[in-house]
Amino acid sequence: MLMKTLVDILEANHRLDNDQLAALLTTNDHQVVGYLCRRARAVAQEQYGTGIYLRGLIELSNVCRNDCLYCGIRRSNRHVDRYTLTPEQVMGCCEQGYQLGFRTFVLQGGEWGDERAQWVADIVSDMRRRWSDCAITLSLGEHSREVYALWRQCGADRYLLRHETHNAAHYARLHPAEMSLAQRLQCLDWLKELGYQVGTGIMVGSPGQTIAHLVEDVQFIGQFRPHMVGLGPFIAQHDTPLGDQPNGTVDMTTRLYSIIRLMLPTALIPSTTALATLSPQGRLQGILAGANVVMPNLSPADQRANYALYDGKASAGAEAAEGLRQLEAQLHTIGYHIDWSRGDHNSSAFAPH
Ligand code: 5AD
C-alpha cells in the first residue's frame, strides 16, 4: 500500500493498526512526512482556524516527593534550590496574566502528598472567585480521587497528567519502584469521571523508547480520547540518572503531533516548551504540524531558573508572558495569530464512532 494512503486512511477513519502506525513513524520518505504534516495542519485549521490558544503557565513549586529518573526537580537532586510560591505570588502572576489578556491559567508543580491539598484548594477557590471568566488548569501529579474531587469542586476545570509511556516495562525504567503505570492510568480515569477536561501525553525519545512503545502510546491516546495531548521531546538534565542520554528529536515530536491531530481532530495540542528548547523554529514547526496551543511562562522571573525539568529549558523571549509581542510576530510569519479566548475543547464538533 502507498504510504500516502495511510495518511488518507488516518484522516478518514481516525485510526490505523499497529503496523500502519509503525510505518508512518519510521518512514524516511520526506514527501510522506510532508503530506502528513499538511493534512494535520488542514484539519487543525478546520477545527480551530489559524488562531492559537494561550495558557499562562505558573510553576507553583519545584518541591517534589517523586524521583522520576528523567526529571530535574526529582527529590534526590540536591542541586535544586527548592521554592514554593506564596498564594499572594500566585495571585500576582494571575493578575499580571489577566492584564496581558490570558484567560487560562495552568498551575503546575512537583507532586506533594495529599496533606497539602487544602492549600491548593484555597488558591483554586480564590482564583475562581477573582477570575470567574478564566479556565483553571492543574498539573500537580498523582493524587487520591478525593483530592481531585475537592479541587474540581473549588473550580478547577482541567487537569494535565502525562502518562509518559503506556508500556509498563518502559514506565518502570523511567520511574522509581514506588510508581506504576497502573496508578497513573487510574488517576486519568478518575479525572475524567470527575468532569475535568483531561490532558495526557508523553516524552518523545525518552531513554529506552522504541517504535513499538510509541505505537502503544498513540493507540492509548486514541482510545482514551483526552481533550488535550501534551507531547514534548525528552531533553537530558545533567543532574539526573538519565543525564547522559540522547535527546528526542523535532522530527519525531512533530510527526506525532500530526498523527494525533488526524486521530483526534478536536484535541488541544500544545506546541511545547521542550520542542521550542530543542530548536529555535520548534515552536512554529509544531504549529505547522497541527498543534494549536502555546503555554507561555507566567512564573515570577526570579524563580524560573529553578524549575529546570531539563537542560536549557527556554523561559525567555517568546516563551515568556512578557514576550507575547514576539510570539505574536512569530505567529504572523506563518499566517497564524493569538486567539485570546479561554480556548475550551471543541467537543461538539467531532462525534466519536
Ligand atoms: N525532558 C523533557 N520533558 C521532561 N519532563 C520532565 N522531565 C523532562 C525531561 N528531562 C516533562 C514530563 C512531565 C512534564 C511536566 O515535564 O513529561 O510530565
Side-chain angles (χ1 to χ4, degrees):
M1 187 191 292
L2 265 176
M3 286 289 284
K4 264 177 108 177
T5 314
L6 292 183
V7 176
D8 295 330
I9 297 174
L10 180 58
E11 181 176 352
N13 301 347
H14 312 295
R15 65 172 308 281
L16 287 177
D17 67 29
N18 291 353
D19 292 342
Q20 294 171 323
L21 276 176
L24 266 193
L25 288 168
T26 50
T27 181
N28 290 320
D29 185 333
H30 293 300
Q31 302 221 336
V32 172
V33 178
Y35 183 62
L36 171 68
C37 184
R38 287 196 304 279
R39 289 317 308 154
R41 189 188 316 162
V43 169
Q45 291 186 11
E46 272 164 32
Q47 294 293 334
Y48 293 104
T50 50
I52 298 296
Y53 293 139
L54 292 186
R55 281 65 169 103
L57 182 65
I58 301 169
E59 293 158 339
L60 191 62
S61 171
N62 64 2
V63 176
C64 191
R65 65 176 170 185
N66 281 338
D67 218 18
C68 306
L69 276 74
Y70 46 83
C71 184
I73 64 168
R74 66 200 302 266
R75 181 184 66 216
S76 56
N77 185 1
R78 301 268 167 263
H79 303 287
V80 181
D81 276 333
R82 303 287 170 173
Y83 74 87
T84 298
L85 300 184
T86 63
E88 294 70 31
Q89 282 176 307
V90 176
M91 294 304 148
C93 293
C94 294
E95 180 62 47
Q96 191 200 356
Y98 194 89
Q99 300 291 337
L100 289 166
F102 285 85
R103 293 297 177 268
T104 295
F105 300 116
V106 182
L107 295 185
Q108 187 176 85
E111 194 174 294
W112 301 338
D114 283 352
E115 68 282 355
R116 302 209 60 183
Q118 192 56 50
W119 186 90
V120 173
D122 292 342
I123 290 181
V124 172
S125 302
D126 246 20
M127 287 171 66
R128 182 40 70 236
R129 265 193 300 277
R130 280 185 61 184
W131 294 285
S132 56
D133 55 336
C134 291
I136 301 173
T137 305
L138 300 179
S139 178
L140 301 170
E142 295 181 9
H143 292 276
S144 64
R145 195 181 198 284
E146 291 67 36
V147 167
Y148 289 147
L150 169 69
W151 293 341
R152 179 93 184 97
Q153 276 157 23
C154 293
D157 308 286
R158 308 177 183 155
Y159 204 100
L160 307 178
L161 182 67
R162 290 189 182 169
H163 64 285
E164 313 295 359
T165 169
H166 195 261
N167 178 278
H170 187 221
Y171 192 94
R173 178 164 172 191
L174 299 175
H175 297 95
E178 62 275 17
M179 292 177 73
S180 74
L181 176 65
Q183 188 58 33
R184 182 64 55 123
L185 298 178
Q186 173 63 264
C187 287
L188 285 167
D189 283 338
W190 285 334
L191 290 163
K192 225 183 194 184
E193 286 163 23
L194 290 164
Y196 284 94
Q197 291 180 42
V198 179
T200 193
I202 64 166
M203 283 176 298
V204 179
S206 59
Q209 183 179 69
T210 63
I211 293 296
H213 295 153
L214 287 174
V215 168
E216 278 187 64
D217 288 318
V218 170
Q219 299 294 29
F220 166 68
I221 290 168
Q223 167 216 316
F224 183 70
R225 308 180 63 79
H227 303 86
M228 302 162 284
V229 183
L231 308 170
F234 164 77
I235 301 178
Q237 202 286 342
H238 64 278
D239 289 318
T240 64
L242 300 174
D244 59 354
Q245 298 294 305
N247 294 338
T249 64
V250 174
D251 169 61
M252 189 56 94
T253 306
T254 53
R255 215 181 272 212
L256 283 161
Y257 288 178
S258 298
I259 290 173
I260 298 296
R261 170 62 65 205
L262 295 181
M263 280 187 100
L264 300 174
T266 60
L268 296 157
I269 304 178
S271 189
T272 51
T273 301
L275 184 61
T277 299
L278 263 197
S279 151
Q281 290 302 311
R283 172 78 78 210
L284 298 182
Q285 280 174 265
I287 289 166
L288 293 173
N292 71 317
V293 175
V294 297
M295 301 172 67
N297 199 319
L298 273 180
S299 307
D302 56 337
Q303 290 296 0
R304 279 181 206 168
N306 290 324
Y307 202 81
L309 303 183
Y310 44 82
D311 288 343
K313 180 165 163 273
S315 68
E319 301 311 314
E322 316 84 74
L324 282 180
R325 280 220 194 111
Q326 194 180 331
L327 175 65
E328 180 117 61
Q330 285 182 2
L331 292 176
H332 281 157
T333 65
I334 56 166
Y336 283 73
H337 60 272
I338 293 174
D339 180 325
W340 292 99
S341 68
R342 263 172 61 121
D344 279 294
H345 180 256
N346 187 7
S347 39
S348 57
F350 176 61
H353 51 87

